[in-house]
Amino acid sequence: MRFRRNVDLDPSQVEDRRGAGGLGLPGGGIAVGGGGLGLVGLVIYLLVATLGGGGLSGPLNNLDGSTVAQAPPGQVLGEECTSGADANQREDCRIVADVNSIQRYWSGRLGGRYRVAKTVFFSGQTDTGCGAASSDVGPFYCPVDAHVYIDLGFFDELRSRFGARGGPFAEAYVLAHEYGHHVQNLLGTLNRRTSETGASSSSVRTELQADCFAGVWANHATSTGYIASLTPADISDALDAAAAVGDDRIQAETQGQVNPETWTHGSSAQRQRWFRTGYRTGDPNSCDTSRG
Ligand SMILES: [Zn+2]
């Protein structure tokens, strides 16, 4: 995966809160994922299921009254991530370029229906429109403020905890999945009944559609002007990451057994299948995951 050296990046699509530290909620609020692992009332859209006993410790819910540190403006990214050449050099600039590419595609596809959504880089914990969140929940989309949140440390966990190969296009897949939820939000198809679980539940169908939308973008990625080339190895890295975050794989590793009734995101095979469907067709209309 290489970016066009001379393409201008738009770092204003990313807000950099890394190092802001210690963010909390003003006077209470909804802690994301409140209630633990039941997902009842969960209003954020994750890449991976929250893990039972797997080390994702869940939401911060004890920050009532703590001081809210305002995030510094993303000046560093604005100065340092200005071109595709920067994206070829630095991970954070690469994510800026991914975000630019993903949104270029969807704004072209949806026209006036599209609204640019910011990605927020944070470290540790941050305040969101959906409540205080910790990086323990992994990357997510908050439909209330229409922001994607990610601690870039997740990409290390993708390799070390989830056993993925990683790679730049695996990272792009993660962002494209979350923007898939943004597209669902804009189209009014974002599933709100997140308490349903199971291999054919509405939760899983929503997640698989986000994977399919990620594949659709991948199909068009080189025509957005940002990405010069993708190789079969890049697509393979995305599929590898999709498999690594499959519910069955995670359950097998963290619980020693697989319970399809509690799936929220779909199996490794399902997630790969729907990414592949989107990638093959390049058409969001092929992402009707309600048809199995
Ligand atoms: Zn998701």
Side-chain angles (χ1 to χ4, degrees):
M1 178 190 200
R2 299 293 293 173
F3 295 93
R4 293 183 196 281
R5 290 186 51 79
N6 295 324
V7 69
D8 289 333
L9 302 187
D10 178 3
S12 75
Q13 293 182 8
V14 175
E15 181 178 332
D16 192 356
R17 297 184 193 170
R18 290 173 295 178
L23 303 185
L25 286 174
I30 310 162
V32 297
L37 301 169
L39 301 179
V40 176
L42 189 71
V43 291
I44 62 173
Y45 294 84
L46 306 159
L47 176 77
V48 292
T50 48
L51 304 182
L56 293 190
S57 64
L60 297 169
N61 53 15
N62 56 353
L63 293 172
D64 291 9
S66 63
T67 304
V68 177
Q70 285 302 316
Q75 290 172 339
V76 173
L77 289 179
E79 290 169 6
E80 301 192 4
C81 301
T82 61
S83 72
D86 298 326
N88 286 329
Q89 295 280 337
R90 286 175 46 154
E91 179 187 60
D92 50 2
C93 300
R94 189 165 70 228
I95 305 306
V96 171
D98 290 337
V99 166
N100 290 170
S101 173
I102 293 162
Q103 301 208 89
R104 172 73 60 84
Y105 168 69
W106 285 111
S107 65
R109 175 76 199 197
L110 299 181
R113 285 182 294 174
Y114 193 76
R115 295 281 176 274
V116 170
K118 277 193 181 183
T119 283
V120 177
F121 291 169
F122 70 102
S123 48
Q125 58 205 53
T126 196
D127 193 29
T128 84
C130 295
S134 128
S135 46
D136 290 342
V137 298
F140 64 93
Y141 173 72
C142 168
V144 176
D145 58 17
H147 287 2
V148 171
Y149 291 88
I150 185 166
D151 183 328
L152 297 182
F154 176 77
F155 295 135
D156 295 327
E157 291 189 9
L158 193 58
R159 292 189 299 271
S160 64
R161 182 183 291 177
F162 296 95
R165 283 197 303 271
F169 206 66
E171 299 175 0
Y173 153 73
V174 170
L175 273 300
H177 172 97
E178 296 306 336
Y179 275 94
H181 289 310
H182 178 56
V183 170
Q184 292 171 326
N185 193 21
L186 294 173
L187 298 179
T189 62
L190 193 57
N191 167 50
R192 305 276 172 178
R193 298 164 69 193
T194 52
S195 59
E196 290 185 9
T197 65
S200 58
S201 65
S202 57
S203 298
V204 167
R205 289 199 301 268
T206 294
E207 294 301 333
L208 295 177
Q209 187 176 64
D211 284 336
C212 186
F213 284 169
V216 169
W217 164 73
N219 174 291
H220 296 280
T222 55
S223 49
T224 59
Y226 292 93
I227 296 170
S229 63
L230 282 183
T231 65
D234 290 318
I235 300 303
S236 176
D237 285 347
L239 287 166
D240 175 72
V245 292
D247 286 335
D248 55 342
R249 172 120 28 124
I250 292 171
Q251 287 181 342
E253 287 173 11
T254 61
Q255 302 168 13
Q257 55 185 347
V258 175
N259 299 304
E261 321 80 60
T262 61
W263 288 356
T264 57
H265 283 66
S267 68
S268 299
Q270 286 177 303
R271 301 195 71 163
Q272 288 192 316
R273 179 186 152 211
W274 282 104
F275 179 88
R276 210 181 263 122
T277 294
Y279 180 63
R280 190 182 66 243
T281 64
D283 181 2
N285 293 320
S286 72
C287 298
D288 181 1
T289 53
S290 68
R291 289 198 259 170

